Every structure is written in structure tokens, then in C-alpha cells.
Amino acid sequence: MTRAGPACMTCREKCRKCDRGRPNCQRCVSKGLVCQGYPDQFRFCGIASRGKWKNARIPASEKTALPSPPGPSPPGLQTTTITTSQESTPPALVVPRTSRSMAIESVLLQPVPDVVDELESLLASAQTKALLHHCMFHESIHDSLMAPHQIAEIGDEQDSPYRAYILPLAKKQIGLLYAVLGLSAVHLGRLTDDRTLIETTSVEYRLKAIRALSEQVRKGQNTSLSEEEEDCVFATIQVMLLHDIAESGISEHGIHITGAMSVCKPTLISEGLNGRRQRAVFFIGNLAWLDIIRSFAGTRRLCFTRDIREMVASAGGDRFELVNGCPREIFLIIGSVLEKAKEYKMGWTTDEDFRSTLMAAKFELHAWDAKSKTYPSPDPRWTNVATAFQYACILHVHRLLDPTQPASSPEIQAAVAQVLDATADIPADCSLIELLILPLFMAGADTLSRHSQFYVLSRFRDIERRSEMRNPVPADLLQQVWTARAAQGPGQEGNISWRDFTCFPELPRQHDYLII
């Protein structure tokens, strides 16, 4: 049997499956990494991993592509396998090897060839129809959109911001459509255990989305983007982050959120944002919340400014809570806490100023009354969601004040109990349960009893069953914390921080852990 050939050096170092694309591994490119190359002179033609062309190899110098296997792709979900055809498969794209760690700027500003407007033909392809059908698009792509996890059951038929915002943009902007197709492919591949969808189709669409995003950003440097084009950039970045969550729960090197901030700055400087641009406010608000989440793992990662968070809170309306769960007041408080913690880590403020700010924030969080607030719907369980986020943030403030405080501390355990009690009142068949991964994770990191740990993992399984999406990061991190804590000897009660398992000193730019 002919061997497929060795993996690229980058995939070898990361101990992951390589697609062996030439001249660059497309899996590396889609992750914003530089493919370090191969030890021989042969490559796959395309990225076939199964079917008629599995294990096919030709000399690297040859450019002729192998034809696709015959037969049309099905238009719907009658089959779970979607083959990659000539009409929808992007060709391999070359990315220069500029450095070992590629930041968002170098990814997005790559020169790209002229892009022919292929939106109409892409929408007409059988593969696109099947993937959009999986996303709950009607075949006419006019009526509805439901992408996995965050997009699932957010709002009703008229109220869903994804249905109102992403659908019209994806119909007009091919880069966003590529991003949605990539997300749908990886999600469907996970559900059906179809490795081709996960390792080939989704990677190719993701690469095309990155290239389209690159072109938009490059255009924005030379001319002013229209509001629709700017909003498409924000939407594409958010969908690609959902792709990261669906694939691994980790956004490598933090390129997407940091890149979103670099796009935000010119827009805010030139005209500012207000309630008039609700679509832009919605996307920026979601990205600002993801910026908060990644900063839980390391305060230096915070990049969105206080002005942006305040704009989101004042102009975003209750759609912020509808999608992200966290009340806007809590969002602002914890944002200020993380901003001060970043200043302290960077040596820009004193220990006294840092502790004073955090103590004031802890008092404000405890005084916040979830029952007196208004929520996106009359469902009384919104109060439980708010309480869970309130005490999850209180836990994080405790950890910023004293990282060594034992988990057995009475005030730590009191906050843990508040989170677990609040989440216990939300049944598995309620859509609100999908908003609670972060609070459950924060409480789980400080649980001491095995039955509490079992409860947290059970709730994660409830969320996975309901959303049909598994973000492996929360449970994996908790298992590492619990294992390390169980290994402590008698009398050793020092804290085991989950953040110890998310930091890699050898990386100049840390990965983003997206615990949602």
C-alpha cells in the first residue's frame, strides 16, 4: 500500500493530524501558523483523505489536479457524506513562510489573487445547499439560519439577531458565506464522524474565508469600507471563532479577537458607533465579551477598550444578554477589573491601586441585585442565569486578589454554592442552559466534592446534547485541576489554578481559551 507521506514539521511538533497539502499544509494556514515544510518532494494532489483518490501522490512540481469522483452531491441531509467537487473546492493557496508565529496582521494582509464574484455559483452548488440545509437554511437561503451552539435557538423567529444580521450579509458577502460553510462542515463532520468534512471540506472553506477577510482588510487600508463591508468583517471573525470552538475550543495565538480590535479602531476613530448601527454594535459586543472570556485565562490578553464596552452596554440593548447570558452591568464591572489587572501585570499601577479597585468591584458585585433587573424575556430563570454570572465573576475577583487562596476558603465555597444552586434550577431542555458554560466552569474549578464535580460534568453533557456541539476545553481543564488537587499531600491546601494549564511561556502570543 502506498504511504500517504510524512506530516509537515509544524503538525509533527503539535502532535496533530496533517492534511499534507503542498506547498503548505492547509490546516496550518487555516490556523494562522507557518507550515515548516516536508522532508520529501512528494505531495497529495488536493487534500483527499478517503474515497477514490485516497493516498494518491504525484511529484510536487506537477500542477495538474486530479478530477473529482463522479456523481452529484446530495442537496440535503439524506446522506451524511459530502464529497469535495471541482465546483466548490478551493485550490491550494500559497502563504509565504514569514515567521514561526504568524499574527493576525500577517495572515490578513497576505496578497491574494483577484477574486471573481462566484457567490451565485457557490449558492447553487450541491455541497453548499447540503451544508446550508444542515444550518437550517431553507434551500432558497431566504428564511432562516441556525448555526451550532451560540446561534442555536437564540431568540424567536423574528427576534434572532443571527437570522436578522448574518443571513442578509452571507447572501451578499462571499467571505462570510465561506466562514458559515466551514463552521457547518466541521459541525456536521463531528456529528457524523466524517473525517473528510472535518479535515478537508471545513479547512478549505475556512482558508477561503481567511483569504476573503484578508482582501477586505487590505481594501480597508486603501479606501473606506462601506458599513456592510465593515459589518461583514466583524461577522466573519465571529463565525470563525465559533469554528474554533467547534474544532478544539482554542483559538491559536489569539489572532481572531486581536484582529477584530485592529479592525474596530479605525471605525471608532473615524465616526464612532452608536445605536444607529445596531448590526455592528451586536457583533462588536459579542467579540468584546469573548475578549473578556479569553482574559480570564490571562489578563494581558485583554485588548478591547472600556469605551467599546460602554458603547456596547448602552447601545446594544438586551440582545447582548440574549446571546451571551452575562448581564451588561456585570460585563462592565468585570471588564474594569480585568483592565486594572492588566495594568498591574504590566507594571502600570501600584499594588494599592490594584487592590483598592478589586475590593470596590467585589463589593459592587455582591451588592448587585439580579431580581431587580429586566431581561430579554419574561422567563423567571433569567434571574438564575444572571446570578450564576454574578458569582462566577466574584470567584474570579477573589482569584485576582489572592491566587493562592485555598479552594476550601469559606468565601470561595459560598460563591461556588451560589453558582451551582442557580444553575440547578435550569432544566436540561431549557435553551438558557447553553449560556452557562463559563459560570459552571468557574464554579467547577473550585469544587472539592466528587458529587459537585460530577454535577458540573453532567451539566456540560446536557449542554452538549442540546447544542450538538462539544467544546472540549472546559471539561479537559477541570479534569487537570481536579487531578492535580487530588495529588496534593496531607496538609497541602494551596490553590491549584486552572490558568496554570493555559499558559505556554515559549509562545510569544498565547492561545485563546474560549470557555463558552
Side-chain angles (χ1 to χ4, degrees):
M1 179 180 294
T2 305
R3 291 191 63 216
C8 75
M9 298 304 296
T10 304
C11 288
R12 284 185 176 190
E13 289 179 1
K14 292 184 172 294
C15 300
R16 69 180 182 196
K17 189 175 181 65
C18 178
D19 63 29
R20 296 172 172 82
R22 298 293 181 116
N24 298 93
C25 164
Q26 302 306 298
R27 186 173 180 85
C28 292
V29 174
S30 72
K31 285 291 187 182
L33 302 174
V34 174
C35 179
Q36 298 178 52
Y38 302 82
D40 65 18
Q41 61 178 357
F42 295 94
R43 69 170 171 88
F44 279 115
C45 185
I47 322 177
S49 60
R50 62 174 65 189
K52 180 177 180 180
W53 304 113
K54 182 177 180 179
N55 296 325
R57 301 204 313 175
I58 60 174
S61 60
E62 295 185 22
K63 302 299 182 182
T64 305
L66 295 172
S68 298
S73 299
L77 290 179
Q78 293 86 351
T79 178
T80 58
T81 300
I82 302 175
T83 58
T84 305
S85 65
Q86 286 182 334
E87 68 174 353
S88 58
T89 302
L93 297 172
V94 180
V95 177
R97 301 175 187 176
T98 55
S99 67
R100 289 177 60 88
S101 177
M102 186 177 295
I104 184 67
E105 293 82 4
S106 59
V107 174
L108 297 184
L109 300 181
Q110 297 284 337
V112 295
D114 292 335
V115 178
V116 177
D117 184 8
E118 55 184 291
L119 183 61
E120 186 174 339
S121 61
L122 180 62
L123 290 174
S125 75
Q127 185 175 85
T128 298
K129 289 179 180 179
L131 290 173
L132 293 180
H133 187 91
H134 176 63
C135 281
M136 299 301 288
F137 272 104
H138 291 182
E139 290 212 2
S140 62
I141 199 173
H142 285 291
D143 298 325
S144 64
L145 166 64
M146 185 190 77
H149 191 61
Q150 271 196 318
I151 303 181
E153 296 193 26
I154 298 295
D156 57 26
E157 189 69 22
Q158 292 78 33
D159 209 25
S160 168
Y162 287 96
R163 191 170 292 117
Y165 296 149
I166 287 186
L167 173 57
L169 281 175
K171 289 164 60 179
K172 299 177 183 179
Q173 301 285 340
I174 197 168
L176 177 56
L177 181 57
Y178 279 134
V180 171
L181 292 174
L183 173 61
S184 180
V186 74
H187 181 253
L188 181 58
R190 297 285 184 197
L191 289 179
T192 60
D193 196 27
D194 188 327
R195 306 309 301 177
T196 300
L197 282 176
I198 298 170
E199 297 167 5
T200 301
T201 308
S202 70
V203 171
E204 291 174 349
Y205 280 129
R206 181 182 176 90
L207 177 59
K208 292 283 279 187
I210 290 174
R211 294 303 233 174
L213 187 60
S214 166
E215 180 68 13
Q216 287 288 73
V217 173
R218 192 156 61 93
K219 177 182 175 182
Q221 290 185 329
N222 301 319
T223 62
S224 296
L225 296 178
S226 67
E227 290 185 3
E228 182 177 274
E229 289 171 326
E230 288 178 343
D231 294 352
C232 182
V233 169
F234 298 136
T236 301
I237 291 172
Q238 183 171 339
V239 173
M240 292 177 71
L241 284 165
L242 291 175
H243 191 144
D244 287 335
I245 293 167
E247 191 173 59
S248 66
I250 300 172
S251 181
E252 293 189 5
H253 305 295
I255 60 175
H256 292 127
I257 299 173
T258 305
M261 183 59 202
S262 70
V263 176
C264 281
K265 285 181 179 178
T267 302
L268 295 171
I269 292 172
S270 63
E271 61 180 76
L273 287 174
N274 50 49
R276 180 182 67 82
R277 291 190 59 181
Q278 281 292 300
R279 187 169 61 186
V281 170
F282 171 72
F283 289 130
I284 293 173
N286 295 341
L287 293 169
W289 173 241
L290 286 168
D291 186 45
I292 294 288
I293 288 177
R294 71 165 179 173
S295 300
F296 270 52
T299 53
R300 294 175 189 264
R301 302 174 195 180
L302 189 75
C303 68
F304 276 67
T305 64
R306 181 178 303 183
D307 289 345
I308 291 179
R309 292 192 294 270
E310 290 176 349
M311 178 273 296
V312 166
S314 62
D318 61 11
R319 281 181 169 174
F320 181 86
E321 286 93 336
L322 185 68
V323 173
N324 301 304
C326 183
R328 281 167 286 168
E329 297 93 338
I330 302 297
F331 165 67
L332 290 177
I333 295 170
I334 196 63
S336 296
V337 165
L338 292 170
E339 191 171 290
K340 183 61 67 173
K342 179 179 180 178
E343 292 176 4
Y344 182 68
K345 286 285 186 181
M346 302 295 289
W348 299 339
T349 190
T350 65
D351 182 77
E352 182 181 356
D353 181 46
F354 170 65
R355 296 189 63 82
S356 175
T357 300
L358 265 61
M359 291 298 293
K362 186 171 75 166
F363 177 82
E364 191 175 2
L365 285 169
H366 275 290
W368 190 80
D369 183 10
K371 294 181 179 178
S372 66
K373 307 302 176 181
T374 58
Y375 297 100
S377 78
D379 190 330
R381 291 170 294 197
W382 272 107
T383 303
N384 297 80
V385 173
T387 300
F389 277 97
Q390 175 187 9
Y391 281 90
C393 291
I394 288 172
L395 278 170
H396 194 58
V397 172
H398 278 299
R399 290 309 183 196
L400 290 173
L401 280 167
D402 183 4
T404 65
Q405 185 176 15
S408 58
S409 167
E411 56 184 353
I412 293 289
Q413 287 305 306
V416 168
Q418 289 280 358
V419 174
L420 299 185
D421 287 347
T423 59
D425 289 333
I426 301 179
D429 61 353
C430 176
S431 61
L432 296 180
I433 189 65
E434 294 185 53
L435 300 170
L436 294 173
I437 293 180
L438 180 66
L440 284 165
F441 173 82
M442 293 301 295
D446 281 314
T447 55
L448 298 176
S449 64
R450 293 182 62 186
H451 66 267
S452 294
Q453 294 170 1
F454 178 81
Y455 168 78
V456 171
L457 295 180
S458 296
R459 299 263 69 184
F460 283 162
R461 288 191 290 270
D462 290 340
I463 295 169
E464 180 183 346
R465 282 192 293 267
R466 180 168 179 80
S467 65
E468 296 184 328
M469 178 72 71
R470 181 180 183 269
N471 179 351
V473 159
D476 290 351
L477 285 176
L478 289 182
Q479 292 286 7
Q480 292 180 76
V481 171
W482 297 339
T483 299
R485 190 171 287 151
Q488 288 180 307
Q492 295 179 332
E493 294 186 353
N495 181 45
I496 303 293
S497 174
W498 63 271
R499 293 187 292 172
D500 293 340
F501 301 97
T502 66
C503 181
F504 301 92
E506 68 276 11
L507 293 178
R509 178 170 286 176
Q510 296 294 306
H511 300 327
D512 286 347
Y513 282 76
L514 305 174
I515 304 172
I516 64 170

